[in-house]
Amino acid sequence: MAGLDLKIGSLFKKKDRTAREAREPRGPAAVVQPMHRDSARKLKDKGSLPRFHSMASDQASGWAPDRFASMRAKLRLAFTPSQPVADRRMFAGREDVLKTVIRAIEDQRLHAVLYGERGIGKTSLLHMLSQAAQEARYIVVYTSCGANTTFDEIFRAAAADIPLLFHSGFAPTTSEAEKGATLADLLPPGPVSPHKFGDLCSKLTGTRVLIILDEFDRCESGAFRRDVAELIKNLSDRLGRVQLVLAGVAADLTELVEHIPSIRRNIFALRVPKLADAEVLQIVANGEREAGLTFDPAASTQVVAVALGSPYIANLLCHHAGHFALDQGRSTVLPRDVSDAVDRAVMEFQGRIGKPVQARIRQMFERGESEVLALAARAALSADGPFGAAELQAANGIDAKRAQHVLQELTNERLLLQQDDSEAGLRYEFAEEGLPTFLWISWAKENVRTEPGPARVANR
Ligand SMILES: Nc1ncnc2c1ncn2[C@@H]1O[C@H](COP(=O)(O)OP(=O)(O)O)[C@@H](O)[C@H]1O
Ligand SMILES: [Mg+2]
């Protein structure tokens, strides 16, 4: 890692745009310049503004003849960086993870908590879990929590998904059960309490229910988290037929379920791991199959090298690289398309970093201190969150003195924040969530190249 040169200073300069980017539209023009009528007509005739490739109905648009139109349409479904995977055929790897979660739910009757950074694949995993449970005739209720989610809203809706015929007090032939009534019809009008809902669940027979609360960390209400903890306790005490699965962004379990320590033995907690290189290759292979594209082996290697086990980055790069190849009239994705995709990703990530932080990074580059940033970014990514001096040393092969220098410098710059964690020693995290990825991918832009010649992955 010695001599690592992270040349991202230029990223902050306006002129640093690829030729492709330069041809593409930016935001609305600030000033409308008067234009000669003839030149205006000429432009209009040429139809020079970019247009959509396909209609809202998914048909090819017709005004831009594109022999790759159907491949483009398939490519959009093959790599979905902004959506979780819902289709089994597109879900890469993770068999062991899924098996472990199913065992915990089915054999140990535990409630499950899945945690990990954004983009690591929690929601996709939940989709696969839901499908497997539905195949086994579980009733699955999936909810994505929001900032203002309330216990009453979520569990009243869950009750409405459970038919009354599974309540032991109502035979399937009773008129209520036959009319399609649900457990929600038994709830009193006031807010549902954990106790009341737990009571109702204890009467279930002949079915099992999974209630999935995704994005659990987004809910700001302490009362909501306390009530969920209370419900898990209540359900566990009664060996109920209802199990909860919580998922959210957290560096460790305690952060996600701060009110739940008393019920730790009732939950199975799993940090969703990074993908192995072979699993990233499977994402590429799945997309190739779906879209009818071919990735040159050196291009696949490059995706693996830059993704660093992130399914999100792998999808993002494959998506952009595939479109770049089609734009060039090729159905084979080459390493240069992946390099262009990395450039595009750098721009996307940069836009998500706050201006003050961008300014502090720019200043570090101007002072020639880019390597310090790269060392810390790599440590944060390999630790999946907060890291200490030991991880910084191990991830980069540097000595203790250098590691201390890096930590000190970035703390002074307020780019790294020191956490209060006496047990594990001093730990640090970047001031913004997307920062390590941005710094890493910017470094990769300059340093991870597999072209020309045989695959060469720098610094791995
Ligand atoms: N096992 C997988 N195979 C293929 N793509 C995946 C897999 N897991 C996640 N992805 C992709 O990674 C991105 C992030 O996944 P998502 O499930 O939304 O993560 P999270 O919920 O942790 O933020 C999405 O683009 C999704 O399509
Ligand atoms: Mg998610």
Side-chain angles (χ1 to χ4, degrees):
M1 205 63 185
L4 173 81
D5 182 19
L6 191 85
K7 303 169 195 136
I8 70 171
S10 60
L11 294 174
F12 296 94
K13 292 180 192 150
K14 280 205 182 94
K15 65 181 179 198
D16 186 46
R17 298 175 70 205
T18 63
R20 271 179 191 166
E21 288 306 330
R23 287 198 301 271
E24 297 199 3
R26 304 193 94 183
V31 182
V32 179
Q33 300 285 351
M35 201 194 219
H36 192 274
R37 225 192 278 155
D38 280 352
S39 49
R41 196 178 304 119
K42 224 186 277 166
L43 264 185
K44 189 165 172 258
D45 291 348
K46 276 169 73 181
S48 60
L49 278 179
R51 302 178 104 156
F52 283 68
H53 283 288
S54 46
M55 308 298 284
S57 58
D58 292 341
Q59 313 286 318
S61 63
W63 53 59
D66 178 4
R67 66 195 171 98
F68 290 125
S70 85
M71 224 180 232
R72 256 181 224 288
K74 287 186 198 148
L75 186 60
R76 275 176 220 127
L77 302 174
F79 300 113
T80 53
S82 50
Q83 275 147 20
V85 179
D87 178 344
R88 250 181 204 192
R89 287 172 316 148
M90 302 312 295
F91 186 76
R94 296 262 155 94
E95 286 89 355
D96 286 347
V97 173
L98 194 55
K99 199 192 289 172
T100 315
V101 179
I102 291 175
R103 290 267 157 81
I105 290 172
E106 184 170 45
D107 296 340
Q108 297 174 270
R109 297 291 175 216
L110 291 171
H111 304 272
V113 175
L114 306 180
Y115 62 100
E117 67 196 275
R118 208 172 298 290
I120 197 66
K122 299 176 295 297
T123 303
S124 305
L125 193 61
L126 290 176
H127 283 328
M128 297 307 120
L129 176 67
S130 303
Q131 289 176 21
Q134 277 161 346
E135 270 176 11
R137 298 285 158 88
Y138 277 64
I139 295 171
V140 180
V141 184
Y142 173 92
T143 314
S144 191
C145 302
N148 303 316
T149 295
T150 64
F151 186 88
D152 178 69
E153 167 198 352
I154 291 211
F155 289 93
R156 197 172 277 281
D161 280 346
I162 307 173
L164 198 59
L165 63 90
F166 294 114
H167 188 292
S168 54
F170 293 80
T173 48
T174 53
S175 62
E176 291 94 334
E178 279 185 340
K179 272 187 232 144
T182 68
L183 288 201
D185 298 314
L186 303 183
L187 288 171
V192 181
S193 69
H195 185 76
K196 181 73 211 160
F197 189 79
D199 250 5
L200 212 48
C201 292
S202 68
K203 310 270 172 30
L204 286 180
T205 174
T207 191
R208 292 197 164 273
V209 181
L210 273 193
I211 300 180
I212 300 179
L213 307 183
D214 197 3
E215 313 239 18
F216 188 65
D217 55 301
R218 283 187 60 202
C219 181
E220 287 157 8
S221 152
F224 172 72
R225 292 178 184 219
R226 241 186 330 270
D227 282 352
V228 170
E230 192 66 34
L231 176 63
I232 290 181
K233 174 135 182 52
N234 192 307
L235 293 171
S236 307
D237 290 349
R238 298 158 179 242
L239 298 174
R241 293 184 154 265
V242 177
Q243 284 162 279
L244 262 53
V245 180
L246 315 184
V249 175
D252 64 37
L253 177 65
T254 330
E255 200 180 298
L256 192 63
V257 287
E258 58 197 302
H259 296 291
I260 308 193
S262 65
I263 44 148
R264 263 169 197 256
R265 68 193 167 83
N266 304 120
I267 57 179
F268 168 79
L270 179 89
R271 177 188 205 113
V272 179
K274 285 187 181 305
L275 295 181
D277 288 356
E279 293 176 311
V280 176
L281 281 177
Q282 203 183 326
I283 291 184
V284 180
N286 287 345
E288 281 182 312
R289 187 194 60 227
E290 287 304 303
L293 277 175
T294 308
F295 275 68
D296 178 279
S300 306
T301 310
Q302 199 167 336
V303 170
V304 171
V306 181
L308 276 189
S310 157
Y312 166 63
I313 296 180
N315 266 275
L316 184 68
L317 296 181
C318 290
H319 169 94
H320 285 321
H323 281 290
F324 283 142
L326 294 182
D327 287 349
Q328 302 290 310
R330 280 184 274 107
S331 61
T332 300
V333 178
L334 300 177
R336 82 174 84 113
D337 301 314
V338 180
S339 298
D340 284 345
V342 173
D343 288 352
R344 171 66 69 92
V346 168
M347 285 193 22
E348 286 182 17
F349 290 141
Q350 186 177 345
R352 294 175 206 161
I353 306 288
K355 288 276 185 296
V357 169
Q358 283 196 33
R360 295 208 287 282
I361 294 174
R362 187 169 49 232
Q363 285 160 8
M364 288 194 70
F365 274 99
E366 284 164 5
R367 296 198 303 267
E369 293 169 348
S370 57
E371 188 181 342
V372 168
L373 288 165
L375 295 169
R378 181 178 281 230
L381 290 172
S382 49
D384 255 4
F387 61 95
E391 280 115 327
L392 183 58
Q393 282 180 247
N396 297 292
I398 54 174
D399 62 21
K401 195 168 157 223
R402 178 94 175 105
Q404 277 313 325
H405 169 77
V406 170
L407 293 173
Q408 191 63 55
E409 180 140 350
L410 294 182
T411 312
N412 290 346
E413 288 292 336
R414 286 171 292 126
L415 290 171
L416 277 186
L417 307 177
Q418 195 175 305
Q419 292 192 325
D420 280 340
D421 190 352
S422 50
E423 258 175 55
L426 285 178
R427 302 191 69 71
Y428 301 81
E429 66 182 336
F430 272 96
E432 286 193 26
E433 194 188 308
L435 210 42
T437 309
F438 168 62
L439 292 170
W440 159 254
I441 205 148
S442 303
W443 178 83
K445 172 178 147 75
E446 300 295 329
N447 295 277
V448 179
R449 294 257 183 267
T450 54
E451 194 187 41
R456 180 177 75 80
V457 177
N459 261 300
R460 286 213 83 207

